[in-house]
Amino acid sequence: MFERSFWLPESVNRLAQGSDELFMFILWVTVISLVVVLGAMVWFAIKYRASAAFIRGAAPTHHLGLEVLWTVVPTVILGVVFVWGTRDYTRMSVPPADAMEIRVTGQKWFWTFDYPEAGVRIQATPEMDAKNEADGLPMGLVVPVDVPVRLVGSSADVIHSIFIPAFRVKKDVLPNRYTTATFQATEVGEYDLFCAEYCGTKHSGMITKVSVVSQDDFSAFIESSKAVADQPPDGASIFASSGCAGCHSVTPSSGGIGPSLHALYGRQEELVGGESVMVDENYLRESIENPMAKVVAGYGPIMPAYVGQLSEDELTALIVYLKGLGIENGAAL
Ligand code: CUA
């Protein structure tokens, strides 16, 4: 009855079955109540208008039947909504005992998905999603079809909110505590995943996909992700998967949220406060791990700290990559 582009997409979450029917029930109860109440108001306003002929002061002040009616009918409707809602909400929020657990971390401005049992980490930045799409690989959060999944979410910085409309799932993720969400996808496909809590400049870009795949494809995905994880870290991939490109350009352009990283190594940087610093390995390391320590003049102190988020190997590989940006044959371009 409603346009697909306006309404939520078709629900593909077995655990959320019934919630759409409850939503429509509440919607129609509300619409009918609105029509009845407004209709009665208009009808009374016309019937008892000032110029109408009737004996004022003779109107009844109490009607037991009406009082009972407008108390009992809403109570029954609210009782139905309560029982129905409690049943569906419980089914949606209590994960089945055999649910697969996936850790979700929101961070300005991308999602990280950890599969603790497999030891696999997926970082769903726009760059990684584009690369996976080009390579024909599943994007974003990859889950098997028909398997209950329990998401355990938290945030590395501010409040984000994980919103998967096709699953009817929306849950805030917060710094310093965990929240959970549960679903069981019924159909293979690719579904939108949004951040639904305004979290800064690139909030609207904090989008990725949920790729629901067959159980065989899921095993293959886990195996190939493990194989990648066994390779020595590659700085360019870490740059792409850690969200760096969201703010830093690697070309000489300026105007990004953070400074351009082109031909950075060996450069003198003006800092907020007037001093300047020579960009060497230690400055790069400090600026990744603890970006507030030395902020470049003209930029805000907004970069999230990556201390503890990259392994020693990854940090070193990233610094090697940064040193090489814009450098060819040993000279800065
Ligand atoms: Cu994260 Cu909005």
Side-chain angles (χ1 to χ4, degrees), residues 106-111 157-161 194-200 202-204 206:
Q107 182 175 349
K108 290 195 265 181
W109 287 283
F110 61 96
W111 298 98
D157 38 49
V158 298
I159 301 176
H160 305 271
S161 185
F194 303 98
C195 178
E197 182 67 49
Y198 181 66
C199 55
K202 297 217 167 173
H203 157 70
S204 61
M206 204 169 159

